[in-house]
Structure formats: C-alpha cells, structure tokens
Amino acid sequence: MPESAVEMQLAAILGQHLRELRKDKGLSQERVALAAGISTNYYQLLEAGLRTRKPRTPANPTLMVLVALGQVLETPLPAILDEVLIRNAS
C-alpha cells in the first residue's frame, strides 16, 4: 500500500526538525541515538524521514522514542510536534 503524500511530508518535516535541534545542541547522531536508547541507524533514518532505507517508507516513531528524543534534545515533545504541524501548515 503506497504511503500518502501527507505521511511523507510530516515524516520529512519531523526529520528536518530533529536534525536542527540536534545541530543546535552540538550533538552527533551517534550521541543522540545512544542517549535515547535507539540505534544510530534508526536515528539516521528518522532524520531522513524514513522508516527503512527503501524509498517511500515514511518514518513513524513510537511515542516512547519521541519522548526519549525530546529529553535528549532538551525539547518537550509538545514543542516538537507543534513545530512539525506549524511547518506542515505553511
């Protein structure tokens, strides 16, 4: 089943926002992944907006992964999600 354009767009926006937050904190992908308890590969995929390395598979992280990333990036989950929705509406 092909993924919708909206899913792809939201996943890409989330990935871009995570990348910006990470870079603003001066952290590597490896450091964020380790601190969040996920693999570096998985975090790299999230920043790319992907679930797998296959094209058109949008990222769909669990709530617990998003909470952990928010803690590592010192950004509350609601702020992360608000930014994604604001950017999506633009």
Side-chain angles (χ1 to χ4, degrees):
M1 170 183 207
E3 304 297 340
S4 77
V6 172
E7 287 174 297
M8 293 299 298
Q9 183 172 331
L10 289 172
I13 293 168
L14 174 63
Q16 178 184 11
H17 189 45
L18 291 173
R19 184 179 308 110
E20 291 167 358
L21 290 170
R22 175 181 59 78
K23 287 186 174 190
D24 286 349
K25 299 288 182 199
L27 299 171
S28 68
Q29 290 178 327
E30 295 80 10
R31 182 79 176 144
V32 171
L34 178 65
I38 60 176
S39 72
T40 301
N41 182 61
Y42 182 53
Y43 183 75
Q44 290 169 338
L45 287 169
L46 288 177
E47 281 196 1
L50 299 172
R51 183 177 341 152
T52 67
R53 297 266 176 217
K54 296 178 185 177
R56 307 247 347 126
T57 58
N60 191 10
T62 66
L63 179 59
M64 293 311 298
V65 167
L66 290 173
V67 168
L69 290 172
Q71 290 173 340
V72 172
L73 297 169
E74 300 175 348
T75 306
L77 179 56
I80 293 172
L81 297 178
D82 283 347
E83 185 64 24
V84 169
L85 295 174
I86 289 167
R87 291 182 188 191
N88 186 55
S90 303

